[in-house]
Amino acid sequence: MASEDAWSCDANDALHITVVQPGDAKPKTLSTFHPQFTYPIFGDDEQIFGYKGLIIRLRFAAHDLRPHVHISYDDRFKAVGDTAAVDLLGALKDFVPQEAFVNLSDYEQAVQDDPDAKDFTPPGKLVFQYEVEERKYEIWAGSLADPKVRLLLDRMQVLVSLFIEAGTPLATDDPEWSLERWTVFFVYEKVEPPTPTASSYSIVGYATAYRYWMFQRDRSETPAVKDDAFPPPEVKVSELPSRLRIAQFLILPSHHRSGHGTHLYTTIHASCIADPTIVELTVEDPNESFDALRDAADYCLLRPEFLRHKVGLNPDPLGAYSEKKRPRTVPTGALIPTKLLFDIRTSFKIEATQFAHILEMYLLGTIPKSHRMAGGTNLARLLIKKYKAEDENDRRYYWWRMLTKQRLYKKHRELLNELELMDRVEKLDDTVQNVEEGYEITLDALEGRLPEPEDEIPLTSGRREKRKLTVEDDDDEAENETEAAKRPKV
């Protein structure tokens, strides 16, 4: 066993990813980093057997991402029966283009003497430019049906397996009509060319997004059977009402913590808003770090709109109801301006659950911190006083918790209904606390980066809207399970 360990190494440590550009005599390194994951290539243990001093260098030319694989080691295990060293080239060939497996000297010469490098521009169209600490960056967008876009994506798709957990490289050999659904966004830095024939572009990251058709029924028309021609006339995918879904999103580690992810996300979002055929922006299976980026970006986008419309939580949604006539349910429109918020959400083309997150975070931020859990408010007293608390900010916080509970109950209804009533209430309370803690982290991170509102947030949400959604009062949480399962939620 000890001898086998001596011949094994960590695949993440052995693999070096390098971005290079032409130098005076040979290519020079701009950045080097290790992958986060190698299990798609080398197995769940992320171990490579059969080598000592193993280094796998995966190089990319900074401008056109021309790849190269170079493997070196001090010693290799001699096969004994069925036990043999890992076939490194065989393991890599399904993830790296064939052009990467050339002689080192041929690759270096191709990078040094690329005749097209000087005139290189990223494929597609320039859609956004920005600066970070006096360094200039550009974002380009192009269709995957464009061979130049497809070439760049094919060259760098191995990075999906190395940096996006459970990420799957795209199939770029689909029919053209299918490829047209995909848009690739490339982030490049504009640099001073290191040699007279070198490119002025250096890769920073990229994202892919695809359209999928969204059925929109015209409710003004009475449903009827139509004798339309068959087959129907050809329609371009780009002309159909669609959702746009971000599939892959990657900023190279050497460019982390510089705001490039936020610029890329907001550029994709802006392209959706500008496209009348895009109805909504969604994200495919985001991880926690992307969720944090997205929440912060969407919050910065929507907060000025909420302030402009004076969106707030009504601390007294029961209005003139007496204690005897107090309704069991409270219309959501009595707490927040639901029609206005629907219009804001659709105009900014934000998916409903994501919009609810941002709204909840914003409404929480309108409550003074001393009246929130983060400020040490007396939650036990609030749960006794509830909507009858003397301080209107305590009442706001109470109703904020109710509003958030309704969304969480709706999202997890099937799971929660399997629990006993008191367990269900406890689970909801714990989940609301976790959600609130997450919002506080984002609000704290954004503190000082946002302009102060000119006007104070109003204490009421304005006139009621005629909506069927309702919010349950905590007084009813201890009722029988049958009634609890029937509750309409936000």
Side-chain angles (χ1 to χ4, degrees), residues 101-232:
F101 302 100
V102 297
N103 292 331
L104 177 60
S105 59
D106 293 340
Y107 176 76
E108 292 187 344
Q109 183 178 357
V111 172
Q112 283 290 104
D113 303 325
D114 183 353
D116 301 321
K118 184 177 181 180
D119 299 322
F120 172 87
T121 57
K125 294 182 179 180
L126 175 62
V127 293
F128 188 64
Q129 302 177 72
Y130 62 98
E131 290 188 15
V132 176
E133 297 181 352
E134 299 184 351
R135 296 169 67 173
K136 297 180 179 180
Y137 299 88
E138 297 179 353
I139 299 178
W140 293 69
S143 168
L144 194 54
D146 181 343
K148 293 181 180 179
V149 172
R150 201 156 58 246
L151 175 62
L152 255 62
L153 185 65
D154 282 338
R155 285 176 167 178
M156 70 189 309
Q157 283 213 86
V158 63
L159 298 178
V160 173
S161 301
L162 300 177
F163 289 99
I164 301 178
E165 189 167 10
T168 304
L170 300 184
T172 57
D173 56 355
D174 285 347
E176 184 170 341
W177 69 265
S178 181
L179 295 177
E180 287 178 350
R181 298 185 306 130
W182 289 89
T183 301
V184 185
F185 296 83
F186 297 102
V187 185
Y188 274 91
E189 181 180 3
K190 286 296 295 292
V191 298
E192 188 68 27
T195 66
T197 59
S199 172
S200 59
Y201 285 94
S202 179
I203 191 67
V204 172
Y206 83 106
T208 61
Y210 65 95
R211 304 169 60 105
Y212 64 102
W213 177 61
M214 180 177 181
F215 174 71
Q216 291 183 302
R217 176 183 168 187
D218 186 353
R219 297 186 180 275
S220 65
E221 294 185 2
T222 302
V225 177
K226 297 182 179 179
D227 188 18
D228 292 337
F230 186 85

Side-chain angles (χ1 to χ4, degrees), residues 246 261-270 272-273 281-283 290-306 344-345 348-359 361-362 442 446 449-450:
I246 297 173
T262 299
H263 282 297
L264 179 54
Y265 172 77
T266 54
T267 298
I268 296 173
H269 195 170
C272 289
I273 294 176
L281 176 64
T282 64
V283 180
F290 186 86
D291 273 337
L293 181 153
R294 182 188 185 194
D295 286 350
D298 286 345
Y299 182 84
C300 293
L301 178 70
L302 291 174
R303 179 176 179 268
E305 193 73 4
F306 292 154
I344 293 175
R345 182 182 76 79
F348 282 88
K349 302 184 180 182
I350 295 178
E351 185 267 333
T353 300
Q354 174 65 9
F355 186 84
H357 289 163
I358 304 306
L359 176 63
M361 183 161 53
Y362 170 78
T442 303
L446 293 173
R449 293 167 50 186
L450 298 170

